Amino acid sequence: MLEKKLVIKSFHVNQVQTGAKTSLASGVLTVNVASLELAPFAAFIESAEVNVINPYQHDGYVNTIVDIIPIATKALGTLGTGITHTLTGVYVLLTASDTDGGQMTAFGASNGILKEKLTFGQAGSPREEDVIIHVDVTLKSEASYLRQAATAMHQACDTLIQDIRDMLKTLPGHQADERYDFVEKEQTAGMKIKVAIVKQVAGQGAMYDNLLFPDEPSGVAGGMSIIDMNNMPVMLTPNEYRDGALRALT
């Protein structure tokens, strides 16, 4: 029986600030806001703002919550194997509206006071004590319900996250605050295959899409849309799923 190993090394963030160069030192993450690229998506995006929401300061208004994104990168290997560096204590919050003030949702808009619209401390959500990097995108009104526009705001946000990932790749692994090893046993010829259905995801278009196997954990670039795959079933190993092989855009 073959074994595959995934090692996740986490670096904890206590504070986030903006600056000319993205870096991490003594628990302080500096983010270069200028790394957010809008020009490639100018056909759909009018503008975007980035701000930092500090722990327990969740009384402000936000536009509809499009996504909450962890920050992780492959330091070695591909999704599901090798070494992944990840940040704890910080998440990216993507929100969006259009130039007419319309919210990016077909129904059930989640715009409002953040603490009333987001349940903290749940799986996939930040804790109240975490720092949030808030990316608020304004789409052009004529593009607000196009599938390409919905994808574009994820792609634009991902350019900012990729700048953080590129820095994260360079951090010495021995300086990580925590390390987790996940060993996966691969079945060989003659063994019965064990398959468990663990997740059903939406693939209908616009705000209902998901990506598989992006280049980076929970990334966008390189990912395959399940809509474009005609919603066909896909098998993921536990470590691929654990390592961010599925990026939910819903």
Side-chain angles (χ1 to χ4, degrees):
M1 180 177 291
L2 301 177
E3 290 187 345
K4 291 185 178 180
K5 186 176 184 180
L6 170 65
V7 178
I8 297 180
K9 298 181 179 182
S10 61
F11 300 80
H12 192 66
V13 171
N14 299 308
Q15 179 184 343
V16 176
Q17 62 185 17
T18 60
K21 183 178 179 180
T22 298
S23 63
L24 178 64
S26 301
V28 178
L29 174 65
T30 301
V31 178
N32 177 15
V33 174
S35 65
L36 179 68
E37 297 182 20
L38 298 182
F41 317 106
F44 309 106
I45 296 178
E46 180 71 23
S47 62
E49 293 184 2
V50 181
N51 62 81
V52 176
I53 302 175
N54 288 312
Y56 303 105
Q57 296 183 8
H58 306 131
D59 295 324
Y61 175 90
V62 297
N63 286 309
T64 286
I65 297 172
V66 175
D67 206 356
I68 294 180
I69 311 157
I71 303 172
T73 190
K74 293 307 301 182
L76 180 68
T78 56
L79 290 176
T81 64
I83 300 173
T84 294
H85 286 181
T86 188
L87 295 179
T88 56
V90 61
Y91 282 83
V92 174
L93 169 66
L94 175 61
T95 61
S97 62
D98 64 24
T99 52
D100 293 332
Q103 296 297 312
M104 293 303 97
T105 180
F107 56 87
S110 57
N111 57 306
I113 303 303
L114 181 58
K115 67 180 181 181
E116 298 174 359
K117 300 298 179 178
L118 178 63
T119 302
F120 291 89
Q122 301 300 306
S125 295
R127 302 169 302 168
E128 290 189 88
E129 58 266 36
D130 290 336
V131 185
I132 296 173
I133 301 171
H134 179 203
V135 179
D136 186 46
V137 174
T138 301
L139 293 178
K140 296 180 177 180
S141 60
E142 63 271 18
S144 58
Y145 284 100
L146 295 176
R147 180 186 170 199
Q148 299 97 315
T151 300
M153 57 189 175
H154 285 280
Q155 292 172 321
C157 182
D158 204 53
T159 63
L160 176 75
I161 300 174
Q162 190 59 48
D163 185 58
I164 303 173
R165 293 188 188 112
D166 291 340
M167 175 278 299
L168 192 52
K169 292 178 189 290
T170 68
L171 297 182
H174 68 273
Q175 294 181 4
D177 296 292
E178 296 175 298
R179 169 181 170 143
Y180 300 93
D181 292 29
F182 302 96
V183 178
E184 198 171 75
K185 295 180 179 179
E186 186 175 286
Q187 294 166 318
T188 54
M191 299 180 65
K192 293 183 178 180
I193 298 176
K194 297 179 180 179
V195 178
I197 299 175
V198 296
K199 193 172 186 68
Q200 182 178 2
V201 296
Q204 299 171 352
M207 300 296 290
Y208 298 88
D209 198 1
N210 293 267
L211 300 180
L212 285 165
F213 301 112
D215 297 334
E216 295 277 17
S218 300
V220 175
M224 297 180 292
S225 164
I226 64 170
I227 296 175
D228 296 334
M229 298 169 63
N230 296 317
N231 294 305
M232 294 297 291
V234 176
M235 290 182 61
L236 300 177
T237 68
N239 274 351
E240 286 173 337
Y241 182 77
R242 182 180 283 121
D243 205 21
L246 174 62
R247 166 66 185 273
L249 304 183
T250 53

